[in-house]
Amino acid sequence: QVQLAESGGGLVQAGGSLRLSCAASGSIFKIDEMGWYRQAPGQQRELVASITNSGRTNYADSMKGRFTISRDNAKNTLYLQMNSLKPEDTAVYYCNAVVARTWNSGWVNYWGQGTQVTVSS
């Protein structure tokens, strides 16, 4: 199996910063794309940012310039640096990874349990 463990969430005032981490562990041969998604109460889950194995990034428009996604392939770890946080950034943030467990297995989409980010005004 594959586990994704997020950390780094919490309560922060508007304008502050947080850094989220997501460590992938278990039976992993290779990780392709990784990403952060978020879901606010009563809202659909939405993409925050994603990054390919080669480092190509993609951001939702509202996060551009404030959030930075990165990954450490040697550690199978994903990061999200969030700056200039706003109350509307309050949500549960989920880590996502597309993983191959063996050299000849297919790619499988995995999700973490989520970490709460709350931004107070």
Side-chain angles (χ1 to χ4, degrees):
Q1 265 293 5
V2 175
Q3 296 81 38
L4 301 180
E6 300 108 332
S7 61
L11 173 64
V12 64
Q13 288 189 332
S17 299
L18 283 174
R19 188 190 194 212
L20 306 183
S21 299
C22 171
S25 62
S27 180
I28 298 171
F29 173 70
K30 188 173 182 180
I31 301 177
D32 190 14
E33 187 166 297
M34 301 183 80
W36 290 98
Y37 291 73
R38 71 184 188 185
Q39 188 167 19
Q43 303 294 319
Q44 289 189 329
R45 190 172 297 189
E46 62 175 352
L47 172 71
V48 174
S50 63
I51 183 169
T52 67
N53 183 272
S54 61
R56 188 173 70 251
T57 59
N58 177 52
Y59 294 90
D61 287 342
S62 61
M63 282 57 139
K64 288 180 181 177
R66 299 190 300 125
F67 292 5
T68 302
I69 190 171
S70 61
R71 63 191 282 176
D72 185 332
N73 290 333
K75 296 180 179 179
N76 287 337
T77 300
L78 178 70
Y79 304 98
L80 183 69
Q81 178 66 43
M82 304 186 292
N83 299 326
S84 302
L85 283 161
K86 305 174 182 179
E88 51 264 43
D89 293 319
T90 295
V92 178
Y93 284 69
Y94 296 91
C95 173
N96 173 265
V98 181
V99 179
R101 296 178 61 187
T102 66
W103 69 272
N104 62 345
S105 66
W107 296 100
V108 178
N109 207 21
Y110 290 92
W111 291 92
Q113 294 294 316
T115 184
Q116 177 70 45
V117 171
T118 303
V119 184
S120 63
S121 57

